[in-house]
Each structure stands twice: as C-alpha cells, then as structure tokens.
Amino acid sequence: MAPKNRSAVTYTMLICGMQFVLIFSIAIIVGFSFCTQSNEKKLMFISYLHKSVWYSKPTPQQKNSINTTTHLTTAEAMAAPCLPNWTFNNLTANLKPIYKDFMVYRHCRDFTSIHKANVCKGKDIFLLLVIKSLAGNADRRASVRSTWGQERRVDGLSIRRVFLLGRMESQIHSQSVQSLVDHETKVYGDIIQWDFRESFFNVTLKETLFWKWFTEECQDVKFVLKGDDDMFVNVENLVEYLKEFDASQDLYVGDVFRNWYPDRVVSSKYYIPLFLYGKKPYPPYAGGGGYLLSGMSVRKLHNASKFEELFPIDDAFVGICAQRAKIEVVSHQGFRTFGNIPYDPCIYKMLMVIHRVTPNELWLIWSLLNDVTKQCVHSLKV
Ligand SMILES: *[C@@H]1O[C@H](CO)[C@@H](O)[C@H](O)[C@H]1NC(C)=O
Ligand SMILES: *[C@@H]1O[C@H](CO)[C@@H](O)[C@H](O)[C@H]1NC(C)=O
Ligand SMILES: *[C@@H]1O[C@H](CO)[C@@H](O)[C@H](O)[C@H]1NC(C)=O
Ligand SMILES: *[C@@H]1O[C@H](CO)[C@@H](O)[C@H](O)[C@H]1NC(C)=O
C-alpha cells in the first residue's frame, strides 16, 4: 500500500508543478507583451475609450452652439432683443401658451432680416407675387417657382416673385433647413427671411414687416398679389383684370368676409378672447388665401398699422388697417379661398386664385392648363 501511496503523492505533486509553471509562464508572456506595447498604441486605446464613453453625447453648450451660431451675422446677433412685457400676463393664465407668447411679445415689431431679396429696387414691376411660406416648405416653393410663380412677362408686363419667411419654430433639423433656405437664396434670390420665430400668431407680424419692406424698397411696383405657398394663381387672368386699374389709387380685392365675428370657441385654433377683440364684427376683409392690393394701398396699410396693436388673425388685421386707412375692399368671385374645386382645367382657366393645393396638384393643374390640345367648350371669362 505504501509504495503505491508514495507514487500517487509524487504524481499529484508533478501535476501541481506543471500547472504552476503553465500559469507562471502565461503571466510572464502577458506581462511582457503589455510592457512592450508602444506608448502610442496604449494612448490611442485609452483615448478611444475616453471618447466613446465620455464624449458620445454632446454637452448642452455644444448643442446650443450648433443651433444658434451658423446663419446670424454679427450685426444681427448684436441687435438689441425686444424685452417681454408682463402687463397682460394675468389675462392669458387660462389660455393656451401661444396666447401668453402673443401678449407678452405683441409690442415687438422690429426685426432684422436674415435674407433680404433684392427684387424691387430700380425695377419696373407690374405685379409682385408675395407668398407667405415657412422655412421647411421648400417643396411648395419649388412647385410655385416652376408653375404660376415663374418670373416672366405677361402681355409685356413684368411679373416678379418673393417668399416671406420667419425663423423655423422647431429646433429639430433647423440647421439643415436653414442651410436649404440659404441655398435657395443663392440660387433664386427670392426670399425675405426675418429673425422672428415662426408661429400661427406671428403671421400678422410678417404682414407688417412686409408692408414696411415694400414701402421702403418697392416704390415702382404697381400691384401686389398676397397669398400662401399652397395656392394656385392664374396670373394671366390677374394681369388682364389689373390692366384696367390705376396703381396710384386704392385697390383691395379678394374673397370678402363681411360681418364676420371673432371665433369664441375656446378650443378653436382661431379663438379670440374678449380682451383682444370686443363684441363687434370685424371690418370687411379679404380671405388671406389670396388677394390683390395696389402699391398705394400697401403704403397706406403700412402707415395705418402703426396705430393698431397687432392682432393674431392676419387677414382680419388687414381689414382693421384698411378700415383705418379708408380703403374699400372689393369682392370678386374669381378668388376661391375656400372649398374644393374639381379637376377641370376649364374651371381653372376662369378663376384667379384657388387655395389649399398640394405641390402635386399644382403641377397637375399647370400641365392641364398648358396642354394646348385640350379646348374648353365653355370658355367663360371672369
Ligand atoms: C407694458 O405694456 C403696458 C401696456 O401697453 C405699458 O403701459 C407699459 O409701459 C409696458 N411696460 C414696459 C416695461 O414696456
Ligand atoms: C395678477 O395675478 C397676481 C397673482 O395671481 C395678483 O396678485 C395680481 O393682483 C394680478 N394682477 C391683476 C392686474 O389682475
Ligand atoms: C413671435 O416671435 C417673437 C420673436 O421671435 C417671439 O418672441 C414670440 O414668442 C413669437 N410669438 C408667438 C405668438 O409665437
Ligand atoms: C405715410 O406717412 C408718411 C409720414 O407721415 C407720409 O409722408 C406718407 O405720405 C404716407 N403715405 C401714404 C401712402 O399715405
């Protein structure tokens, strides 16, 4: 038993020794290879870890600098900000935040421009197409430029175009959208963009800034078509109609709303609380989807607007200023700012303005209208 035992003991010792040698040599190899690695490689590895773990998310400061610095020139960045006025804060306590925003900044009416199209100066323009757009609506601008908004001559009279923009409200993608607007400015030169935040209740502000710009730069423009980027306009019909008028007289024509009262449904997008407008109807006004003004009327509206507080509903605000300026609004049935119009090119031939049209529909209407092979039987004139 004993010799057998002894040999078992030596056998176990041998195994243990071999294991020890193996572990020891692995330790030496690993230790040696780590020591011989170049410092450069080690630093790379460490800095990679550092970057991927600690710098994978931008810091708040980095985020802010991405969103705000790019397109403002130093002059604009230094322009004095308009301070909020909290006098009316209590009135808006129970309303949606946009009402508070509106009341607190209502007195802010002076904004610098980020882009200022040079369309008017020194040019004899018969009809200026003035189109409200949003920075993000590049597709609509493209469809307008390639269809009814083409700059051209109609009956020898010059037609020019300009888009009115504010600063994009949403911060998501706002930098790339702004780069696109910058690019469009370079290629087409037809954008005026002011440095105010785009919102439904700031459209009136855009209107007044346009009147100011027009009064300063567009003395020789005879007529203005004011509209949105989702409409179709029959420019030939407009020119035919406008030829009869004298641009140094007043002209304010469209789809006219008479005796309309402010919307008092609190949940409505157009809700107007009593403190913004009393218990009386609006003065007559043309629906904002598209209307005509003479250059003289735009200048008068600009003057009148200085005596009126901004009002959230932009087309009603035009009516308020027109009343003050004693400009009469004229109704014309060629302006369809509401309702569905069927896909009939013969109908489009008779109308002046159709509101709520997608870019696709716009191209379709345009191609139908310009298809000379299709003749309309009932070629009515409006
Ligand atoms: C705020 O608005 C009220 C009412 O229009 C005006 O009386 C007041 O002077 C304004 N306050 C400031 C600080 O501008
Ligand atoms: C506005 O609200 C505050 C606090 O709710 C109140 O103290 C103040 O008197 C109110 N001011 C007006 C003009 O109603
Ligand atoms: C209008 O724009 C101004 C300037 O960017 C902003 O301070 C204000 O909150 C905006 N108003 C609304 C109603 O969004
Ligand atoms: C607007 O007001 C200015 C300054 O008061 C005046 O010179 C100008 O004639 C007015 N413009 C119109 C079109 O009434």
mmCIF file of all heavy atoms in Angstrom, residues 82 97-103 105 108 111 167 169 195-202 205, ligand 3:
data_model
loop_
_atom_site.group_PDB
_atom_site.id
_atom_site.type_symbol
_atom_site.label_atom_id
_atom_site.label_comp_id
_atom_site.label_asym_id
_atom_site.label_seq_id
_atom_site.Cartn_x
_atom_site.Cartn_y
_atom_site.Cartn_z
ATOM 1 N N CYS A 82 -35.908 92.443 -28.017
ATOM 2 C CA CYS A 82 -37.102 93.126 -27.540
ATOM 3 C C CYS A 82 -37.531 92.422 -26.251
ATOM 4 O O CYS A 82 -37.738 91.216 -26.230
ATOM 5 C CB CYS A 82 -38.186 93.032 -28.611
ATOM 6 S SG CYS A 82 -39.730 93.782 -28.125
ATOM 7 N N PRO A 97 -50.630 78.284 -24.313
ATOM 8 C CA PRO A 97 -49.382 79.070 -24.186
ATOM 9 C C PRO A 97 -49.173 80.092 -25.304
ATOM 10 O O PRO A 97 -48.579 81.142 -25.077
ATOM 11 C CB PRO A 97 -48.283 77.999 -24.249
ATOM 12 C CG PRO A 97 -48.944 76.716 -23.920
ATOM 13 C CD PRO A 97 -50.389 76.841 -24.245
ATOM 14 N N ILE A 98 -49.697 79.817 -26.489
ATOM 15 C CA ILE A 98 -49.462 80.726 -27.616
ATOM 16 C C ILE A 98 -50.072 82.110 -27.346
ATOM 17 O O ILE A 98 -49.558 83.131 -27.804
ATOM 18 C CB ILE A 98 -49.989 80.111 -28.945
ATOM 19 C CG1 ILE A 98 -49.456 80.909 -30.145
ATOM 20 C CG2 ILE A 98 -51.502 80.030 -28.978
ATOM 21 C CD1 ILE A 98 -49.704 80.270 -31.490
ATOM 22 N N TYR A 99 -51.149 82.166 -26.545
ATOM 23 C CA TYR A 99 -51.778 83.462 -26.228
ATOM 24 C C TYR A 99 -50.870 84.295 -25.331
ATOM 25 O O TYR A 99 -50.751 85.510 -25.501
ATOM 26 C CB TYR A 99 -53.152 83.255 -25.574
ATOM 27 C CG TYR A 99 -54.167 82.713 -26.545
ATOM 28 C CD1 TYR A 99 -54.296 81.344 -26.759
ATOM 29 C CD2 TYR A 99 -54.979 83.568 -27.291
ATOM 30 C CE1 TYR A 99 -55.196 80.831 -27.674
ATOM 31 C CE2 TYR A 99 -55.896 83.071 -28.208
ATOM 32 C CZ TYR A 99 -55.992 81.706 -28.401
ATOM 33 O OH TYR A 99 -56.876 81.212 -29.311
ATOM 34 N N LYS A 100 -50.236 83.588 -24.370
ATOM 35 C CA LYS A 100 -49.300 84.291 -23.495
ATOM 36 C C LYS A 100 -48.125 84.813 -24.326
ATOM 37 O O LYS A 100 -47.744 85.980 -24.213
ATOM 38 C CB LYS A 100 -48.804 83.344 -22.401
ATOM 39 C CG LYS A 100 -47.673 83.950 -21.581
ATOM 40 C CD LYS A 100 -47.217 83.041 -20.465
ATOM 41 C CE LYS A 100 -48.250 82.998 -19.367
ATOM 42 N NZ LYS A 100 -47.750 82.613 -18.064
ATOM 43 N N ASP A 101 -47.592 83.935 -25.186
ATOM 44 C CA ASP A 101 -46.492 84.314 -26.086
ATOM 45 C C ASP A 101 -46.850 85.550 -26.891
ATOM 46 O O ASP A 101 -46.049 86.466 -27.058
ATOM 47 C CB ASP A 101 -46.264 83.176 -27.090
ATOM 48 C CG ASP A 101 -44.994 82.433 -26.791
ATOM 49 O OD1 ASP A 101 -44.417 82.678 -25.724
ATOM 50 O OD2 ASP A 101 -44.599 81.602 -27.624
ATOM 51 N N PHE A 102 -48.074 85.531 -27.391
ATOM 52 C CA PHE A 102 -48.521 86.641 -28.226
ATOM 53 C C PHE A 102 -48.593 87.940 -27.428
ATOM 54 O O PHE A 102 -48.040 88.967 -27.834
ATOM 55 C CB PHE A 102 -49.886 86.317 -28.843
ATOM 56 C CG PHE A 102 -50.425 87.446 -29.685
ATOM 57 C CD1 PHE A 102 -49.933 87.675 -30.959
ATOM 58 C CD2 PHE A 102 -51.409 88.294 -29.186
ATOM 59 C CE1 PHE A 102 -50.405 88.728 -31.726
ATOM 60 C CE2 PHE A 102 -51.881 89.347 -29.947
ATOM 61 C CZ PHE A 102 -51.380 89.568 -31.224
ATOM 62 N N MET A 103 -49.250 87.885 -26.271
ATOM 63 C CA MET A 103 -49.454 89.110 -25.487
ATOM 64 C C MET A 103 -48.133 89.664 -24.952
ATOM 65 O O MET A 103 -47.919 90.876 -24.930
ATOM 66 C CB MET A 103 -50.411 88.850 -24.316
ATOM 67 C CG MET A 103 -51.859 88.641 -24.719
ATOM 68 S SD MET A 103 -52.498 89.926 -25.800
ATOM 69 C CE MET A 103 -52.630 91.302 -24.662
ATOM 70 N N TYR A 105 -45.162 89.416 -26.182
ATOM 71 C CA TYR A 105 -44.263 89.962 -27.204
ATOM 72 C C TYR A 105 -45.000 90.781 -28.266
ATOM 73 O O TYR A 105 -44.438 91.094 -29.308
ATOM 74 C CB TYR A 105 -43.480 88.825 -27.875
ATOM 75 C CG TYR A 105 -42.495 88.158 -26.933
ATOM 76 C CD1 TYR A 105 -42.798 86.945 -26.309
ATOM 77 C CD2 TYR A 105 -41.279 88.770 -26.647
ATOM 78 C CE1 TYR A 105 -41.906 86.355 -25.426
ATOM 79 C CE2 TYR A 105 -40.375 88.177 -25.773
ATOM 80 C CZ TYR A 105 -40.696 86.973 -25.159
ATOM 81 O OH TYR A 105 -39.809 86.389 -24.294
ATOM 82 N N CYS A 108 -43.369 93.823 -29.837
ATOM 83 C CA CYS A 108 -42.108 93.655 -30.591
ATOM 84 C C CYS A 108 -42.418 93.610 -32.082
ATOM 85 O O CYS A 108 -42.948 92.626 -32.580
ATOM 86 C CB CYS A 108 -41.402 92.373 -30.170
ATOM 87 S SG CYS A 108 -41.060 92.282 -28.410
ATOM 88 N N PHE A 111 -37.854 93.637 -36.477
ATOM 89 C CA PHE A 111 -36.936 92.504 -36.548
ATOM 90 C C PHE A 111 -36.016 92.664 -37.753
ATOM 91 O O PHE A 111 -36.439 93.149 -38.799
ATOM 92 C CB PHE A 111 -37.719 91.186 -36.647
ATOM 93 C CG PHE A 111 -38.436 90.839 -35.371
ATOM 94 C CD1 PHE A 111 -39.737 91.287 -35.147
ATOM 95 C CD2 PHE A 111 -37.813 90.109 -34.379
ATOM 96 C CE1 PHE A 111 -40.405 90.995 -33.964
ATOM 97 C CE2 PHE A 111 -38.466 89.813 -33.191
ATOM 98 C CZ PHE A 111 -39.756 90.254 -32.984
ATOM 99 N N ARG A 167 -38.149 82.639 -38.805
ATOM 100 C CA ARG A 167 -37.210 81.609 -38.372
ATOM 101 C C ARG A 167 -38.007 80.382 -37.974
ATOM 102 O O ARG A 167 -39.056 80.490 -37.360
ATOM 103 C CB ARG A 167 -36.398 82.134 -37.184
ATOM 104 C CG ARG A 167 -35.079 81.488 -37.000
ATOM 105 C CD ARG A 167 -34.149 82.247 -36.060
ATOM 106 N NE ARG A 167 -34.748 83.225 -35.174
ATOM 107 C CZ ARG A 167 -35.378 82.939 -34.037
ATOM 108 N NH1 ARG A 167 -35.534 81.700 -33.662
ATOM 109 N NH2 ARG A 167 -35.866 83.902 -33.285
ATOM 110 N N GLU A 169 -39.679 77.410 -36.230
ATOM 111 C CA GLU A 169 -40.011 77.279 -34.816
ATOM 112 C C GLU A 169 -39.324 76.088 -34.174
ATOM 113 O O GLU A 169 -38.682 76.203 -33.141
ATOM 114 C CB GLU A 169 -41.522 77.151 -34.636
ATOM 115 C CG GLU A 169 -41.896 76.985 -33.184
ATOM 116 C CD GLU A 169 -43.390 77.107 -32.966
ATOM 117 O OE1 GLU A 169 -44.172 76.763 -33.858
ATOM 118 O OE2 GLU A 169 -43.772 77.568 -31.896
ATOM 119 N N ASP A 195 -35.828 87.605 -38.659
ATOM 120 C CA ASP A 195 -35.347 86.870 -37.498
ATOM 121 C C ASP A 195 -36.387 86.860 -36.375
ATOM 122 O O ASP A 195 -36.111 87.299 -35.265
ATOM 123 C CB ASP A 195 -34.028 87.491 -37.018
ATOM 124 C CG ASP A 195 -33.391 86.651 -35.929
ATOM 125 O OD1 ASP A 195 -33.716 85.457 -35.852
ATOM 126 O OD2 ASP A 195 -32.591 87.198 -35.152
ATOM 127 N N PHE A 196 -37.579 86.397 -36.652
ATOM 128 C CA PHE A 196 -38.558 86.170 -35.582
ATOM 129 C C PHE A 196 -39.038 84.728 -35.689
ATOM 130 O O PHE A 196 -38.926 84.107 -36.747
ATOM 131 C CB PHE A 196 -39.738 87.141 -35.659
ATOM 132 C CG PHE A 196 -40.635 86.928 -36.845
ATOM 133 C CD1 PHE A 196 -41.649 85.983 -36.817
ATOM 134 C CD2 PHE A 196 -40.475 87.685 -37.997
ATOM 135 C CE1 PHE A 196 -42.471 85.786 -37.924
ATOM 136 C CE2 PHE A 196 -41.299 87.493 -39.102
ATOM 137 C CZ PHE A 196 -42.294 86.540 -39.060
ATOM 138 N N ARG A 197 -39.557 84.231 -34.577
ATOM 139 C CA ARG A 197 -39.966 82.832 -34.523
ATOM 140 C C ARG A 197 -41.294 82.644 -35.249
ATOM 141 O O ARG A 197 -42.273 83.319 -34.970
ATOM 142 C CB ARG A 197 -40.117 82.396 -33.071
ATOM 143 C CG ARG A 197 -40.364 80.918 -32.885
ATOM 144 C CD ARG A 197 -40.018 80.520 -31.464
ATOM 145 N NE ARG A 197 -40.861 81.220 -30.502
ATOM 146 C CZ ARG A 197 -42.032 80.747 -30.055
ATOM 147 N NH1 ARG A 197 -42.482 79.609 -30.499
ATOM 148 N NH2 ARG A 197 -42.739 81.417 -29.176
ATOM 149 N N GLU A 198 -41.282 81.720 -36.177
ATOM 150 C CA GLU A 198 -42.465 81.443 -36.972
ATOM 151 C C GLU A 198 -43.529 80.793 -36.102
ATOM 152 O O GLU A 198 -43.242 79.815 -35.420
ATOM 153 C CB GLU A 198 -42.048 80.489 -38.090
ATOM 154 C CG GLU A 198 -42.968 80.389 -39.241
ATOM 155 C CD GLU A 198 -42.761 81.486 -40.272
ATOM 156 O OE1 GLU A 198 -41.794 81.447 -41.022
ATOM 157 O OE2 GLU A 198 -43.617 82.381 -40.304
ATOM 158 N N SER A 199 -44.728 81.348 -36.069
ATOM 159 C CA SER A 199 -45.837 80.679 -35.388
ATOM 160 C C SER A 199 -47.137 81.243 -35.944
ATOM 161 O O SER A 199 -47.150 82.303 -36.570
ATOM 162 C CB SER A 199 -45.760 80.874 -33.873
ATOM 163 O OG SER A 199 -46.477 82.015 -33.467
ATOM 164 N N PHE A 200 -48.214 80.525 -35.693
ATOM 165 C CA PHE A 200 -49.512 80.902 -36.253
ATOM 166 C C PHE A 200 -49.883 82.345 -35.883
ATOM 167 O O PHE A 200 -50.393 83.102 -36.722
ATOM 168 C CB PHE A 200 -50.565 79.918 -35.736
ATOM 169 C CG PHE A 200 -51.946 80.180 -36.250
ATOM 170 C CD1 PHE A 200 -52.197 80.242 -37.607
ATOM 171 C CD2 PHE A 200 -52.998 80.358 -35.372
ATOM 172 C CE1 PHE A 200 -53.472 80.486 -38.087
ATOM 173 C CE2 PHE A 200 -54.279 80.600 -35.838
ATOM 174 C CZ PHE A 200 -54.514 80.664 -37.199
ATOM 175 N N PHE A 201 -49.607 82.747 -34.651
ATOM 176 C CA PHE A 201 -49.962 84.097 -34.212
ATOM 177 C C PHE A 201 -48.906 85.139 -34.591
ATOM 178 O O PHE A 201 -49.059 86.317 -34.272
ATOM 179 C CB PHE A 201 -50.188 84.129 -32.692
ATOM 180 C CG PHE A 201 -51.549 83.626 -32.282
ATOM 181 C CD1 PHE A 201 -52.445 83.140 -33.215
ATOM 182 C CD2 PHE A 201 -51.944 83.660 -30.950
ATOM 183 C CE1 PHE A 201 -53.700 82.680 -32.844
ATOM 184 C CE2 PHE A 201 -53.201 83.214 -30.570
ATOM 185 C CZ PHE A 201 -54.075 82.719 -31.514
ATOM 186 N N ASN A 202 -47.834 84.727 -35.235
ATOM 187 C CA ASN A 202 -46.835 85.706 -35.675
ATOM 188 C C ASN A 202 -46.966 86.038 -37.163
ATOM 189 O O ASN A 202 -46.137 86.758 -37.707
ATOM 190 C CB ASN A 202 -45.422 85.191 -35.378
ATOM 191 C CG ASN A 202 -44.851 85.810 -34.101
ATOM 192 O OD1 ASN A 202 -45.417 86.759 -33.565
ATOM 193 N ND2 ASN A 202 -43.736 85.285 -33.641
ATOM 194 N N LEU A 205 -47.323 89.706 -37.735
ATOM 195 C CA LEU A 205 -46.035 90.381 -37.657
ATOM 196 C C LEU A 205 -45.333 90.334 -39.015
ATOM 197 O O LEU A 205 -44.773 91.338 -39.488
ATOM 198 C CB LEU A 205 -45.185 89.682 -36.581
ATOM 199 C CG LEU A 205 -43.753 90.138 -36.393
ATOM 200 C CD1 LEU A 205 -43.703 91.590 -35.962
ATOM 201 C CD2 LEU A 205 -43.057 89.258 -35.354
HETATM 202 C C1 LIG B 3 -43.204 85.834 -32.266
HETATM 203 O O1 LIG B 3 -41.819 85.986 -32.475
HETATM 204 C C2 LIG B 3 -41.132 86.546 -31.386
HETATM 205 C C3 LIG B 3 -39.696 86.775 -31.794
HETATM 206 O O2 LIG B 3 -39.080 85.598 -32.207
HETATM 207 C C4 LIG B 3 -41.258 85.614 -30.195
HETATM 208 O O3 LIG B 3 -40.582 86.185 -29.083
HETATM 209 C C5 LIG B 3 -42.716 85.415 -29.874
HETATM 210 O O4 LIG B 3 -42.849 84.495 -28.835
HETATM 211 C C6 LIG B 3 -43.464 84.931 -31.082
HETATM 212 N N1 LIG B 3 -44.898 84.959 -30.797
HETATM 213 C C7 LIG B 3 -45.672 83.885 -30.876
HETATM 214 C C8 LIG B 3 -47.107 84.086 -30.589
HETATM 215 O O5 LIG B 3 -45.237 82.805 -31.161
#
